[in-house]
Amino acid sequence: MAARVLVGVKRVIDYAVKVRVKPDNTGVVTDGVKHSMNPFCEIAVEEAVKLKEKQLVKEVVAVSCGPQQVQETIRTALAMGADRGIHVEVSGKDYDALGPLQVSKIMAALAKKEEANLIILGKQAIDDDCNQTGQMTAALLDWPQGTFASEVVLEGDKLKVVREVDGGLETVKLDMPAVVTADLRLNTPRYATLPNIMKAKKKKISVVKPGDLGVDVASRLEVLRVEEPPQRKAGVKVETVEDLVSKLKEGGRI
Amino acid sequence: MVLAYLRRIGSLHTNPVYRFAHEYSVGRRNYSARGSTLEQAVAAFRSVVGEDGVSLGTAVRDQHGRDESMHRCCPPDVVVWPCSVEEVSALAKICYQHQLPIIPFGTGTGLEGGVGAVKGGVCFNLGKMDCILDLHQEDFDVTVEPGVTRKALNASLRDTGLWFPVDPGADASLCGMVATSASGTNAVRYGTMRENVLNLEVVLADGTVIHTAGRGRRPRKTSAGYNLTNLFVGSEGTLGLLTKATLRLSGIPEAVVSAVCSFPSVQAAVDSTVQLLQAGVPIARIEFLDDVMMDACRCYSSLPYVVAPTLFLEFHGSKSSLEEQVTVAEDITRGNAGSDFSWARDAETRERLWKARHDAWYAALALRPGCKAYSTDVCVPISNLPQVVVETKRDLMQNHLTGPIAGHVGDGNFHCLMVLDPNDADEVQRVHQFTERLARRALALDGTCTGEHGIGLGKKALLCEEVGPQTIKVMHSLKAAMDPANLMNPGKVL
């Protein structure tokens, strides 16, 4: 029986915001922009809380890596039903360069430290669309992984995961401990209600540094340039079908 | 198509040829009739909002001349997209100078033809002003611009534990909802727009900008001066353009329970509703579907529904209070010969229980594929609801009309989803006459000809019958005081 679930939650620019590139092309504008929990992380938290409500797990721990503001994201997870939070403090240039490799090392270290039996993550973050952290975490821990989960069933000490794959649905059975990444149709996350937000203020968030976990967050990637996608060019109207065919031939399309 | 509604705009024959001729000259309002005035105005518009902020394109104008009602398209002469209240004011001043009608446009999801430019003019598409400003969580209030829809607001509020509960069918602009005094399925507990607007920023026909409760003010209650805020709620764009609304928010319910129950008669269902309200159960939603609608839902979704008048109930509260509410509700429904009372707590089962109610519109349309649907909208005191529903059902049968009924029975408000063939002139005529009889039936029973959709183009005569000549005179005086040149959305409400 799984006792403890670790859920990773990432603070990202809210999905409804129109993202703008900084004038110096080094990144996107984040100052003063609305941030919220990554939607796939919300689904991951919901799944963990559901497991706790079914009394299949004892404790849900929400984890986030970043500066002070990520504590808001952890509080949202607590308001949804997580029991306590862990804030891994990463700020400044380290935070700008933080990517799946470093986060997966942190998650692996925490999983060992907290003696977790299950890690649930969102399948990807909506800002970088990497879709790597879950897989890397499983590899570092040498745990089995059930990614793109649309259904998770805990059966004793085994985990049945239905995965959404290109060809349809694939069902796998994993030995615990394991890593699961949540896909869109896994569940519908609950809203944080005011009474639960109040209760969440009293739940504990402990703060650690990557160094305390023996993790080096130096990045091996350097972002050279960030640009907006090219502006959509106006279409060209043609008079006849023959014109259309010749234009398509010119453009090498046919 | 909707020749029946043309009669409201001017007394016209139902002769199709006449109708076409009229439509051609009125629908394609002569640009050249005031050609040079319009040209000057358009040039002035461009200097305020730039080239991209103005359009004379036919397709764009057509799009802005229709909403989701069955009224035919009345395109404006030009469409403008202001990005700030200063631009709205500047554009309005230009319209005022040139005496051009002003038609505010939110999401175009109205149901009474409110955006039709019956005298041509300038359509102000306020959709680019889409910021959510000034959220005050502890005070439960937020200010929004006209481009913000109710679903967008609630999505943005999801982490705060707050929501804006008024939920008409469409994902409408909140300022548009203010303009039509919209309501939704949970008005019985949370109220309609009338109870949930604290302050409005309004641009009048001459460009003056006012704040109905004072700039930035948002006390929960006030006794200060005339209630201008509620004057504009339901004014349907005829008194001014709404450029900001300060709204009252509610806490997201801690837990939700849904229930369904069938009854042997409409009377039994309504009696249960009255008793539930009298018992002090703070019920959040009570929806009524008649037997015709339940049959349509049974066919549409192939679920084994009982074909009888049915109540769909939803309770909001803390987990412990919900137990109590459901017990009381079950007792009451049983006492009124209710059967098959089923309830659910988790989201998936609740969805299944309420599926019929959510599918009602589509189930009604599926009764006669290829047809269009039109929703009537009357509201009466709850005690008169059984009588008006029974008489309406008899009317439908006698006139061979398809009109399954769905209603917010907790408010005494119900809709007949009229399914009709828009190309069958006779049927259109019969539906039109039916809706007039229905409205008059509601008026005769101390009710109103429109519970939530507004007066718009089609119910002006009914409004006069409803409020009486003296009150209508007062309404006209107010309109004349605020908009003497009748530039604000002419042809609507009065």
Side-chain angles (χ1 to χ4, degrees):
Chain A
M1 210 264 297
R4 189 170 289 123
V5 184
L6 228 54
V7 182
V9 297
K10 186 177 181 188
R11 180 175 182 265
V12 297
I13 296 179
D14 187 86
Y15 72 82
V17 168
K18 291 178 198 118
V19 177
R20 263 176 263 280
V21 175
K22 286 205 280 224
D24 61 4
N25 292 104
T26 54
V28 297
V29 177
T30 53
D31 281 341
V33 168
K34 181 164 199 267
H35 284 65
S36 53
M37 188 190 295
N38 180 38
F40 295 106
C41 298
E42 285 179 354
I43 299 174
V45 174
E46 174 67 25
E47 197 61 23
V49 172
K50 273 199 161 81
L51 285 171
K52 198 182 92 160
E53 285 172 346
K54 290 188 201 147
Q55 295 178 340
L56 296 169
V57 301
K58 269 221 300 274
E59 197 188 29
V60 176
V61 183
V63 179
S64 193
C65 306
Q68 179 64 23
Q69 294 94 312
V70 306
Q71 290 208 4
E72 289 161 20
T73 314
I74 301 176
R75 288 273 171 228
T76 306
L78 296 174
M80 285 172 72
D83 297 294
R84 60 182 169 91
I86 300 177
H87 168 199
V88 182
E89 215 167 27
V90 180
S91 46
K93 288 250 169 347
D94 285 339
Y95 179 56
D96 293 337
L98 195 65
L101 183 57
Q102 301 100 310
V103 174
S104 55
K105 285 179 185 168
I106 291 170
M107 290 303 294
L110 278 174
K112 290 196 188 114
K113 179 164 178 272
E114 300 288 333
E115 293 172 343
N117 311 80
L118 180 58
I119 300 179
I120 310 183
L121 305 171
K123 73 170 179 180
Q124 66 197 59
I126 60 170
D127 51 6
D128 54 24
D129 279 340
C130 282
N131 192 336
Q132 297 166 5
T133 310
Q135 292 87 333
M136 286 178 172
T137 309
L140 287 168
L141 288 166
D142 197 25
W143 285 5
Q145 57 184 265
T147 54
F148 310 103
S150 66
E151 199 186 323
V152 172
V153 182
L154 199 46
E155 290 166 351
D157 61 347
K158 299 234 191 285
L159 203 61
K160 190 183 84 166
V161 178
V162 177
R163 310 179 55 227
E164 293 196 12
V165 297
D166 286 344
L169 297 172
E170 181 192 51
T171 309
V172 293
K173 200 176 252 185
L174 314 174
D175 291 333
M176 302 278 278
V179 175
V180 170
T181 73
D183 207 325
L184 194 62
R185 278 157 281 271
L186 179 57
N187 60 49
T188 311
R190 65 196 63 190
Y191 286 112
T193 64
L194 278 174
N196 288 338
I197 291 176
M198 304 298 297
K199 282 187 215 150
K201 290 198 176 128
K202 302 201 184 94
K203 293 182 183 175
K204 193 170 180 307
I205 299 180
S206 48
V207 184
V208 296
K209 288 196 172 38
D212 303 339
L213 302 168
V215 174
D216 171 20
V217 290
S219 176
R220 290 173 214 169
L221 299 174
E222 186 195 337
V223 172
L224 298 176
R225 191 175 166 79
V226 175
E227 278 175 9
E228 291 203 358
Q231 289 279 14
R232 190 167 168 232
K233 290 210 258 301
V236 175
K237 279 193 186 159
V238 292
E239 296 298 308
T240 67
V241 173
E242 288 77 19
D243 281 349
L244 174 63
V245 170
S246 70
K247 277 226 149 49
L248 286 171
K249 281 197 173 139
E250 271 169 47
R253 304 287 180 176
I254 51 168
Chain B
M1 183 183 92
V2 229
L3 51 91
Y5 292 92
L6 279 176
R7 290 176 71 201
R8 303 237 190 256
I9 296 163
S11 341
L12 285 175
H13 297 294
T14 55
N15 182 320
V17 175
Y18 211 104
R19 176 191 16 122
F20 176 74
H22 181 85
E23 180 167 328
Y24 190 71
S25 67
V26 171
R28 301 276 173 267
R29 169 59 47 172
N30 282 320
Y31 184 174
S32 59
R34 36 169 132 85
S36 68
T37 314
L38 198 54
E39 270 181 51
Q40 285 171 8
V42 168
F45 293 154
R46 288 204 170 105
S47 70
V48 174
V49 288
E51 287 291 328
D52 290 341
V54 182
S55 178
L56 294 158
T58 316
V60 173
R61 286 161 47 218
D62 278 351
Q63 183 198 2
H64 287 80
R66 57 163 59 94
D67 58 14
E68 291 186 3
S69 69
M70 288 198 358
H71 291 279
R72 62 168 174 72
C73 176
C74 283
D77 295 311
V78 54
V79 182
V80 293
W81 285 265
C83 293
S84 66
V85 62
E86 291 79 21
E87 287 184 3
V88 176
S89 172
L91 294 169
K93 283 197 178 92
I94 299 167
C95 292
Y96 189 72
Q97 272 165 1
H98 294 92
Q99 296 285 286
L100 292 169
I102 297 172
I103 298 105
F105 186 99
T107 45
T109 49
L111 294 168
E112 292 292 339
V115 296
V118 297
K119 289 191 179 166
V122 185
C123 175
F124 281 53
N125 184 325
L126 302 170
K128 281 198 172 159
M129 297 166 63
D130 62 358
C131 292
I132 298 170
L133 314 158
D134 304 333
L135 167 66
H136 298 103
Q137 288 187 42
E138 294 103 6
D139 299 319
F140 287 65
D141 67 64
V142 68
T143 302
V144 296
E145 292 187 329
V148 180
T149 65
R150 64 171 182 88
K151 287 187 185 173
L153 175 62
N154 283 333
S156 147
L157 291 174
R158 67 192 187 281
D159 291 338
T160 61
L162 299 171
W163 72 316
F164 186 69
V166 183
D167 65 339
D171 185 19
S173 145
L174 287 157
C175 289
M177 285 162 61
V178 175
T180 53
S181 189
S183 153
T185 51
N186 50 31
V188 64
R189 165 119 172 218
Y190 296 99
T192 68
M193 291 309 287
R194 284 190 181 186
E195 290 83 45
N196 287 296
V197 182
L198 296 171
N199 197 350
L200 292 170
E201 178 184 80
V202 186
V203 177
L204 303 175
D206 62 359
T208 316
V209 181
I210 64 164
H211 293 87
T212 55
R215 181 189 283 274
R217 302 203 184 286
R218 48 191 183 82
R220 286 182 73 84
K221 61 185 196 187
T222 175
S223 300
Y226 298 152
N227 189 347
L228 289 186
T229 306
N230 275 62
L231 173 64
F232 286 96
V233 177
S235 60
E236 301 185 47
T238 59
L239 298 179
L241 295 123
L242 307 179
T243 52
K244 279 195 190 68
T246 305
L247 303 168
R248 188 192 301 275
L249 300 171
S250 302
I252 293 175
E254 210 185 309
V256 178
V257 166
S258 300
V260 183
C261 190
S262 327
F263 294 86
S265 66
V266 178
Q267 184 76 51
V270 178
D271 285 344
S272 302
T273 306
V274 174
Q275 286 160 21
L276 269 168
L277 294 170
Q278 286 174 336
V281 176
I283 192 148
R285 289 183 163 104
I286 323 181
E287 294 289 289
F288 169 79
L289 262 52
D290 75 341
D291 54 329
V292 176
M293 181 63 90
M294 290 308 292
D295 197 27
C297 295
R298 194 182 50 85
C299 297
Y300 178 73
S301 51
S302 314
L303 286 170
Y305 289 118
V306 176
V307 178
T310 307
L311 281 185
F312 292 79
L313 309 153
E314 193 174 288
F315 307 89
H316 294 173
S318 67
K319 292 204 170 70
S320 44
S321 78
L322 285 179
E323 299 268 0
E324 208 190 302
Q325 289 184 43
V326 174
T327 314
V328 172
E330 202 170 358
D331 282 339
I332 290 175
T333 56
R334 199 181 308 122
N336 286 295
S339 53
D340 310 291
F341 186 97
S342 19
W343 60 275
R345 200 190 284 273
D346 66 279
E348 287 90 11
T349 325
R350 281 194 283 117
E351 279 288 318
R352 258 208 310 279
L353 274 183
W354 265 63
K355 192 170 181 355
R357 174 64 188 87
H358 290 137
D359 289 345
W361 180 262
Y362 304 102
L365 277 171
L367 282 174
R368 293 176 58 190
C371 287
K372 289 236 146 72
Y374 161 70
S375 169
T376 68
D377 171 45
V378 298
C379 187
V380 296
I382 306 173
S383 55
N384 289 336
L385 193 62
Q387 184 181 348
V388 70
V389 171
V390 165
E391 286 177 18
T392 302
K393 285 167 76 71
R394 194 180 308 137
D395 189 341
L396 286 165
M397 276 201 333
Q398 280 170 350
N399 289 284
H400 311 291
L401 295 168
T402 320
I405 293 177
H408 319 302
V409 74
D411 309 310
N413 178 212
F414 72 97
H415 306 290
C416 297
L417 304 186
M418 308 305 298
V419 188
L420 70 158
D421 178 359
N423 298 315
D424 178 351
D426 178 64
E427 185 171 25
V428 172
Q429 183 77 319
R430 283 186 293 121
V431 168
H432 166 63
Q433 285 164 344
F434 163 80
T435 57
E436 295 233 299
R437 284 196 301 272
L438 172 57
R440 297 208 163 91
R441 200 175 295 130
L443 292 177
L445 289 168
D446 303 338
T448 170
C449 64
T450 173
E452 349 180 81
H453 298 169
I455 296 293
L457 269 176
K459 293 184 173 174
K460 295 186 286 186
L462 289 165
L463 177 64
C464 295
E465 286 178 41
E466 181 169 328
V467 300
Q470 304 301 357
T471 309
I472 270 282
K473 253 172 53 182
V474 173
M475 289 193 187
H476 278 281
S477 322
L478 277 165
K479 166 75 171 173
M482 308 218 41
D483 178 23
N486 191 19
L487 296 177
M488 292 304 311
N489 210 2
K492 317 288 160 44
V493 186
L494 299 173

